[in-house]
Amino acid sequence: KQEVTQIPAALSVPEGENLVLNCSFTDSAIYNLQWFRQDPGKGLTSLLLIQSSQREQTSGRLNASLDKSSGRSTLYIAASQPGDSATYLCAVILGWGAQKLVFGQGTRLTINP
Amino acid sequence: NAGVTQTPKFRVLKTGQSMTLLCAQDMNHEYMYWYRQDPGMGLRLIHYSVGEGTTAKGEVPDGYNVSRLKKQNFLLGLESAAPSQTSVYFCASSYIGVSTDTQYFGPGTRLTVL
């Protein structure tokens, strides 16, 4: 059974720092991996989707990498801002068609001004 | 364009009561999903639908039923609520479910069962 783990569960850093969030998964037979952002009381917003044939994706200050063989992904946030404070979830996508996403528990990120 | 909406936003039930959560999307998406999110855990898939009139079980389907009578709506029912069903419920939809599609999520329904 696929399991997804995110470490740390919570992270607090001062504004301006670069930071890395980690995601690991137990079965390398995934189609894609996706990073989401969740704000309190809100739904999930997709940040980056990495296809299994890719090694990384970038969007603005965000960069996500994927190493299927080691079962790991990282989300790098450059020059963090208070507006980046949220919970970040990674999910592996199993299979084509109806997407079966397996989520990690999330990392709650706080950026201190 | 409202995206994915969920009704109600909050609800408190007593054990044994029943209720229906409504999810609506205006993006003409074929695929729709219901998840639950519990503290310290990621989202878990309850049921999903690949088109009007179809439904299928996800990871944690017990105690829930679903229906997709119209393409734009996906209903989640609790016939006899239990305290273990206290959770935040999210609905999502995606276009045709290919692996590069993203799911679009609603804002969630916070359900408490006493």
Side-chain angles (χ1 to χ4, degrees):
Chain A
K1 178 185 175 184
Q2 178 74 260
E3 293 183 358
V4 180
T5 303
Q6 291 185 247
I7 296 173
L11 180 65
S12 181
V13 301
E15 181 179 2
E17 280 202 2
N18 303 325
L19 58 99
V20 174
L21 306 181
N22 296 297
C23 173
S24 62
F25 46 96
T26 55
D27 187 343
S28 63
I30 65 171
Y31 271 74
N32 301 321
L33 185 142
Q34 194 164 7
W35 283 91
F36 293 87
R37 169 184 174 135
Q38 184 177 26
D39 293 288
K42 301 285 183 61
L44 280 66
T45 302
S46 178
L47 296 173
L48 291 165
L49 184 150
I50 311 175
Q51 297 182 51
S52 59
S53 58
Q54 299 174 322
R55 293 191 65 84
E56 64 179 299
Q57 277 285 342
T58 298
S59 176
R61 294 182 294 106
L62 305 180
N63 175 276
S65 68
L66 174 63
D67 184 343
K68 281 183 59 177
S69 61
S70 67
R72 294 183 180 181
S73 176
T74 61
L75 179 66
Y76 174 82
I77 302 177
S80 58
Q81 303 171 356
D84 295 329
S85 297
T87 296
Y88 291 80
L89 295 157
C90 80
V92 297
I93 301 173
L94 310 178
W96 189 88
Q99 297 173 331
K100 297 180 180 63
L101 272 62
V102 179
F103 284 86
Q105 309 94 316
T107 294
R108 188 172 69 253
L109 176 65
T110 302
I111 307 299
N112 302 303
Chain B
N1 191 340
V4 180
T5 58
Q6 293 183 232
T7 307
K9 289 184 170 55
F10 303 93
R11 185 73 186 268
V12 178
L13 289 179
K14 294 181 179 179
T15 297
Q17 287 185 320
S18 63
M19 77 162 295
T20 299
L21 281 66
L22 171 63
C23 175
Q25 53 93 5
D26 61 1
M27 296 174 282
N28 201 34
H29 285 170
E30 290 291 334
Y31 288 45
M32 297 187 74
Y33 314 80
W34 275 108
Y35 296 88
R36 61 177 289 172
Q37 184 177 34
D38 300 300
M41 302 182 70
L43 280 71
R44 292 181 292 168
L45 183 63
I46 305 171
H47 286 281
Y48 63 97
S49 168
V50 301
E52 182 177 316
T54 73
T55 63
K57 294 180 180 180
E59 181 186 357
V60 288
D62 294 343
Y64 305 95
N65 56 75
V66 288
S67 64
R68 183 106 180 262
L69 299 180
K70 294 183 179 180
K71 185 177 181 179
Q72 63 268 35
N73 295 337
F74 195 28
L75 279 63
L76 177 71
L78 287 73
E79 291 187 347
S80 179
S84 61
Q85 294 178 305
T86 293
S87 187
V88 181
Y89 292 86
F90 288 98
C91 175
S93 69
S94 63
Y95 182 41
I96 56 174
V98 296
S99 60
T100 53
D101 281 347
T102 187
Q103 294 185 18
Y104 294 85
F105 285 79
T109 294
R110 185 173 295 275
L111 175 65
T112 301
V113 182
L114 302 176

